Amino acid sequence: MQIIAHRGASGEFPENTLLAFEHALAQSADAIELDVFAVAGELIVIHDHHLARTTNGTGSIYQYSLAQLQQLDAGQGQRIPTLWQVLKLIQGKCWLNIELKGPDTAAPLLALLNKAEQQLGFDCQQLLISSFNHHLLAAIKLKRPDLKLGALTASLPLDYAAFATMLQAYSVHCDVSFINQAMVDDAKARGLKVFVYTVDEPDDIKRLTGYGVDGIFCNFPARSRGVLNKKPAI
Ligand code: G3P
Ligand code: MG
């Protein structure tokens, strides 16, 4: 069972910040999940397009320039990171799930990954690109068939994981509130990995272990590892 730090070690540190990602690495998370929006073509790491919940700003990210957004406090003096900063931080240390939130994120992501491959030697096989917006995923697959896609759902579809097969996805990402054994069995029969969000309660972790899921998105990676009694990979 893979432990994916949801927005970093966000149960203990400000979500989607370099601090939360550093602590996810220190807690030996197998992977980190983060959320991105595009502002003037630059990908920034933040979950909501409104600023008030996670920063000392107000209004929408789209009302500000990148420079203005980077003045804000995202908690404990942290700044809203760019995706570029995060790629540099985690490169080679764990795999990364980039969840596309903003509607205009596909083209900037593809451009940034090209730059990361050329300038950092970044291995894009360490990435999993996910979104609730399946149109974005289809657009990415057309341009970069080699990239792994994670098909997100917050429901239990009538035809289970069929949408993920349509997307040629690597994995299906399910809500802990709706996933059941039938969904897992259907996904596995399709050759898909199954990752579940957001899982912090020991009873959920044990239930999902029984279903045979491949990984869980956790706000407290070290604690979840303790429940699983799982040793770090390295
Ligand atoms: O990617 C899994 C999970 O992060 C999806 O929901 O709202 O936490 O981004 P959310
Ligand atoms: Mg997310």
Side-chain angles (χ1 to χ4, degrees):
M1 172 93 86
Q2 298 263 294
I3 294 175
I4 307 156
H6 181 241
R7 311 179 196 173
S10 62
E12 300 169 89
F13 303 95
E15 69 177 50
N16 281 326
T17 63
L18 295 180
L19 184 66
F21 302 142
E22 282 161 2
H23 279 274
L25 291 171
Q27 294 182 20
S28 302
D30 296 298
I32 289 170
E33 185 263 3
L34 53 74
D35 309 283
V36 299
F37 280 90
V39 169
E42 182 86 34
L43 291 170
I44 60 167
V45 181
I46 190 166
H47 182 274
D48 309 344
H49 85 82
H50 287 109
L51 291 160
R53 186 180 62 82
T54 60
T55 76
N56 61 347
T58 56
S60 163
I61 55 172
Y62 299 118
Q63 295 169 244
Y64 299 93
S65 67
L66 180 63
Q68 288 171 323
L69 290 169
Q70 289 182 316
Q71 301 294 314
L72 298 175
D73 187 337
Q76 296 183 29
Q78 292 290 297
R79 303 297 174 195
I80 299 170
T82 60
L83 182 56
W84 180 255
Q85 288 177 297
V86 181
L87 292 180
K88 287 205 289 189
L89 174 73
I90 65 118
Q91 180 178 18
K93 300 193 178 98
C94 72
W95 61 272
L96 177 66
N97 178 191
I98 301 170
E99 184 189 339
L100 304 179
K101 290 288 192 201
D104 47 0
T105 44
L109 177 71
L110 292 171
L112 190 77
L113 295 186
N114 277 339
K115 184 175 145 191
E117 288 172 314
Q118 285 165 20
Q119 293 188 17
L120 306 177
F122 195 93
D123 177 7
C124 286
Q125 288 309 302
Q126 294 181 342
L127 297 177
L128 181 54
I129 315 299
S130 66
S131 188
F132 288 106
N133 182 339
H134 298 169
H135 298 269
L136 291 179
L137 298 181
I140 286 168
K141 198 73 186 175
L142 268 181
K143 291 268 167 60
R144 284 287 302 255
D146 59 308
L147 293 178
K148 287 189 271 191
L149 299 182
L152 266 162
T153 180
S155 68
L156 186 62
L158 284 175
D159 51 3
Y160 295 108
F163 70 100
T165 298
M166 278 181 66
L167 286 163
Q168 299 174 261
Y170 169 82
S171 51
V172 61
H173 300 189
C174 303
D175 188 321
V176 67
S177 304
F178 298 108
I179 191 166
N180 63 11
Q181 187 72 62
M183 180 67 167
V184 176
D185 291 347
D186 181 77
K188 295 280 178 181
R190 295 170 183 280
L192 296 159
K193 302 280 188 200
V194 180
F195 300 125
V196 185
Y197 64 91
T198 304
V199 186
D200 286 315
E201 298 301 329
D203 60 334
D204 282 329
I205 295 173
K206 286 175 185 154
R207 176 169 62 96
L208 295 169
T209 302
Y211 290 165
V213 310
D214 298 286
I216 50 177
F217 296 92
C218 308
N219 295 327
F220 299 88
R223 199 170 81 187
S224 297
R225 185 179 295 284
V227 173
L228 283 169
N229 197 16
K230 184 185 172 201
K231 293 197 167 48
I234 304 168

